[in-house]
Amino acid sequence: MSKEMRGMVMMLLVLSVSFMFFVGCAKPPTQEMESAEKAVTEAKAKEADLYAADLFKKAEDALKKAKDYVAQKSYKEAKAAAEEAAQAAGQAQAAIEGNKAKMKQEAAQMIDEAEKSLAEIKALTAAAIKKKVQINREELQGMIGKAEVDLVGVKNTLQEQKIRPAYDQVKAMLAQLKGKIGEIATLLGLPAPGAAPPATPAVPVAPAAKK
């Protein structure tokens, strides 16, 4: 065998060994994937999807991306995405309690505001009846009765620590009550809640007296 031939054989052997080493090292990031799956599952079990929705979605999206990379045999990218998913899920878990407390406080404030809005609707309805303004009394009375029952339900839900459902329900209820206040106020010729007061006309300045 000539010297050139031996050199080519050695080069082929080196390339073959290098290729086998690369293939052997390119394995799916099993441990990272399992850790990411576990972190996302635990975060959901603690209701991170309700109280840290943005971070939880980030974790879910990164985990899906990691699975897609594994399917494409892009293991380096899959590992990075799995680590990102685990990190985001951990951040979501850490944010749950703080967000929960804030949401509970906001829900309680909205309940108070809803009760005041309900009282305002009753007062406006009474004023409309007194002034013989054309309103649908039966519809209003039905809405008021339903709102009172719903408010009791929201309070009970909040006491049961079902904070997100209570928050969403009272938020929607408050928007409906505010809208109804605006409707009745318009019928009575009153400014709608939150409307800017009419501008005060400018007082003309008298010219200075000539001496």
Side-chain angles (χ1 to χ4, degrees):
M1 186 182 292
S2 66
K3 187 175 181 180
E4 290 82 0
M5 185 66 71
R6 283 198 299 270
M8 288 180 66
V9 170
M10 287 298 295
M11 186 179 294
L12 286 171
L13 285 170
V14 169
L15 289 172
S16 298
V17 171
S18 299
F19 177 76
M20 290 175 66
F21 178 77
F22 173 77
V23 171
C25 290
K27 294 180 180 178
T30 305
Q31 185 176 347
E32 288 81 5
M33 291 295 293
E34 288 176 354
S35 296
E37 289 268 16
K38 183 180 177 183
V40 171
T41 300
E42 287 178 352
K44 186 172 178 62
K46 293 180 180 178
E47 298 182 316
D49 56 325
L50 298 180
Y51 302 107
D54 291 344
L55 286 168
F56 183 75
K57 187 178 185 307
K58 182 180 177 182
E60 279 193 318
D61 290 347
L63 181 59
K64 182 182 181 302
K65 195 184 296 181
K67 290 177 179 178
D68 291 342
Y69 280 134
V70 168
Q72 297 165 15
K73 293 183 169 49
S74 300
Y75 298 137
K76 181 180 178 181
E77 291 82 355
K79 180 180 178 182
E83 289 172 344
E84 181 186 352
Q87 183 181 18
Q91 291 171 343
Q93 285 197 58
I96 290 171
E97 290 307 317
N99 290 349
K100 220 172 175 181
K102 183 180 178 183
M103 192 175 287
K104 184 177 182 179
Q105 183 181 10
E106 290 176 357
Q109 290 171 348
M110 284 192 288
I111 288 172
D112 289 341
E113 195 174 349
E115 288 176 333
K116 291 175 183 176
S117 295
L118 196 52
E120 188 174 354
I121 287 174
K122 290 177 182 179
L124 288 170
T125 301
I129 292 169
K130 186 176 180 180
K131 291 184 178 182
K132 296 182 180 180
V133 174
Q134 189 174 359
I135 58 170
N136 191 329
R137 291 178 63 175
E138 289 185 4
E139 180 187 338
L140 279 170
Q141 288 169 353
M143 191 216 72
I144 290 168
K146 183 179 183 303
E148 288 175 334
V149 172
D150 288 347
L151 269 174
V152 172
V154 169
K155 289 177 183 178
N156 290 337
T157 303
L158 195 61
Q159 286 177 352
E160 292 167 1
Q161 298 303 309
K162 297 175 182 176
I163 298 167
R164 186 60 193 248
Y167 178 92
D168 290 342
Q169 188 178 355
V170 73
K171 184 177 180 181
M173 187 188 307
L174 186 58
Q176 183 184 19
L177 293 174
K178 293 286 188 184
K180 188 57 67 176
I181 288 172
E183 288 177 19
I184 304 172
T186 300
L187 289 173
L188 288 168
L190 301 172
T200 304
V203 179
V205 178
K210 293 182 179 180
K211 293 182 179 179

